[in-house]
Each structure stands twice: as structure tokens, then as C-alpha cells.
């Protein structure tokens, strides 16, 4: 069976960011949908489908065999990047995990990344802290994309490791200060998305604002204990950042 695989819009977006001709390691590959798509669409001729769990990797191998791509996709049982040698790949993809887990994977495998290794990353949570980690680690966010699929918003990052980005060279020469080059709203919602006035981000921000206002109204109806007052203060801070992001988006 050699028919064309159908994958989610989220994974199609990630695939569209992969540099054509790159050797790819797909971390947490699960069913190997992304590796199969990359090969079938001529984006990559060599993909390592990696997973820490035996059963998902077994399913991945079945799918790879089903599509007749075992000569171009190699399954690898490993924890994160630990099964990949430095220089084996040009691009690393990690999609569908929480930001905290993705951070730990990158931290543990940072020595496997070469100069200018591309990283296509889709974190599902802890986005503010994940963006901050990327900047701290010398992983520069070149572009960022947001899409709505099946009622859920997905953020997808196109990054490069240790690039000599001209913007940052003009600001600072150390990674710690890269974070200070980002405003709080940029860390939370993405500098690239705000600069490029993503319509989906605008919708997302308005939903976040409505949610925060609803939570605040509910808290105001409760007994004003210290914990409730502290929660209201935190919500007010969140609302202020969202409004800054909306203001930034609306700028001409």
C-alpha cells in the first residue's frame, strides 16, 4: 500500500516549516505520521522516527512498512534526542507535548544539536516559560505560527540553534539578555505573531481576555480572603498583559 497519508492541519503546518532536503529526527513520533508525510511530499529523504515507548514505536514501524518507506524512515527507541548522534540530522521536530516536557528533552539533548540545527516545535502548554527557555538556550525563534483545529489552538515554532541573529547581535551578546529583549506580552503570545498581526492570535487573545474577565467576576463574588485577593491580583496582571498584546496587534 503506497497511498498518500492524510495528517492533521497542525502536522501539515509543522511539515511546511521543515527545510527541504533536511535529514530529520521526529521526537515522540507516535504513529510516524509526520515522518511518512515528510518523505511522501519530497521534503525529506531520511527521517528518524523516535519514541521512548516500545508500543508506539511498533505501531510506527507498521505504518512505515504499510507505506513502503522503511528504506527512508528508521525507527529509533530512545529517550528524546539520546538515540541521535550529533551531525546525523539537520532538523529536529517535536510536536504534541507540553512545554515543560519539551524543555527537558531539549535540555538533555542539547549537545546533539549542531550549529544552525533547525527545530520545529509545537508545545501545547507552558508557552511563556517555553519561549523563555528557548532564548536562554540559544535557540532563536525565527517564526511562529498559530492555528485553530478541532476547537484547540496550536502554536508552532520554527527555530534555529545558536544562530548569529542580527537582531540579537545588535541588542546583546549573551543569551540571558535575549529574554529582556522580549516584552512580557511577546514571551506569552509570540513576538513574531504580534509583529505579523496574526488574525488567529487576535481571536485567541480576545477569548483569553473574556475568560480572564469571567474568572475575575466570579472571584469578586466570593468572600475576599487573602488567597482570593491574591488570585484577583494575578488575574488583573494577566488582563493587563493581554490588553498590551491586543494594543500591540492593533498598532498601525
Amino acid at each position: 500500500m503506497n497511498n498518500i497519508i492524510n495528517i492533521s492541519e497542525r502536522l501539515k503546518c509543522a511539515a511546511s516549516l521543515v527545510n527541504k532536503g533536511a535529514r530529520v529526527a521526529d521526537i515522540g513520533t507516535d504513529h510516524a505520521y509526520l515522518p511518512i508525510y515528510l518523505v511522501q511530499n519530497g521534503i525529506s529523504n531520511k527521517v528518524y522516527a523516535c519514541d521512548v515507548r516500545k508500543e508506539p514505536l511498533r505501531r510506527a514501524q507498521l505504518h512505515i512498512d504499510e507505506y513502503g518507506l522503511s528504506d527512508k524512515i528508521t525507527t529509533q527507541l530512545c529517550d528524546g534526542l539520546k538515540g541521535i548522534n550529533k551531525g546525523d540530522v539537520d532538523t529536529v521536530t517535536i510536536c504534541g507535548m507540553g512545554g515543560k516536557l519539551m524543555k527537558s528533552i531539549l535540555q538533555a539533548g542539547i549537545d546533539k544539536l549542531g550549529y544552525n540545527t533547525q527545530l520545529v516545535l509545537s508545545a501545547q502548554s507552558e508557552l511563556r516559560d517555553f519561549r523563555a527557555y528557548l532564548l536562554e538556550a540559544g535557540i532563536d525563534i525565527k517564526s511562529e505560527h498559530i492555528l485553530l483545529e478541532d476547537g484547540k489552538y496550536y502554536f508552532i515554532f520554527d527555530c534555529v540553534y545558536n544562530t548569529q541573529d542580527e537582531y540579537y547581535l545588535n541588542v546583546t551578546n549573551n543569551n540571558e539578555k535575549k529574554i529582556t529583549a522580549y516584552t512580557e506580552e511577546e514571551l506569552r503570545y509570540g513576538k513574531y505573531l504580534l509583529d505579523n498581526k496574526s488574525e488567529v492570535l487576535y481571536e485567541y487573545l480576545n477569548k483569553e481576555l473574556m475568560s480572564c474577565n469571567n474568572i475575575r467576576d466570579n472571584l469578586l463574588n466570593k468572600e475576599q480572603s487573602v488567597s482570593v485577593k491574591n488570585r484577583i491580583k494575578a488575574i488583573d496582571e494577566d488582563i493587563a498583559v493581554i490588553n498590551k498584546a491586543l494594543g500591540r496587534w492593533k498598532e498601525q
Side-chain angles (χ1 to χ4, degrees), residues 5 8 36 55 75 106 118 133 161 168 176 194 200 213 224 242:
I5 194 169
S8 67
I36 292 168
E55 181 55 26
T75 56
L106 291 171
Q118 182 191 30
Y133 164 71
Y161 179 58
Y168 288 122
E176 182 180 351
L194 288 167
V200 181
N213 280 324
Q224 297 301 291
I242 294 170

Side-chain angles (χ1 to χ4, degrees), residues 96-103 122-126 130:
M97 301 181 195
K100 187 176 181 179
L101 177 56
M102 289 176 62
K103 174 182 173 179
S122 181
Q124 293 187 327
S125 60
E126 299 106 9
F130 186 63

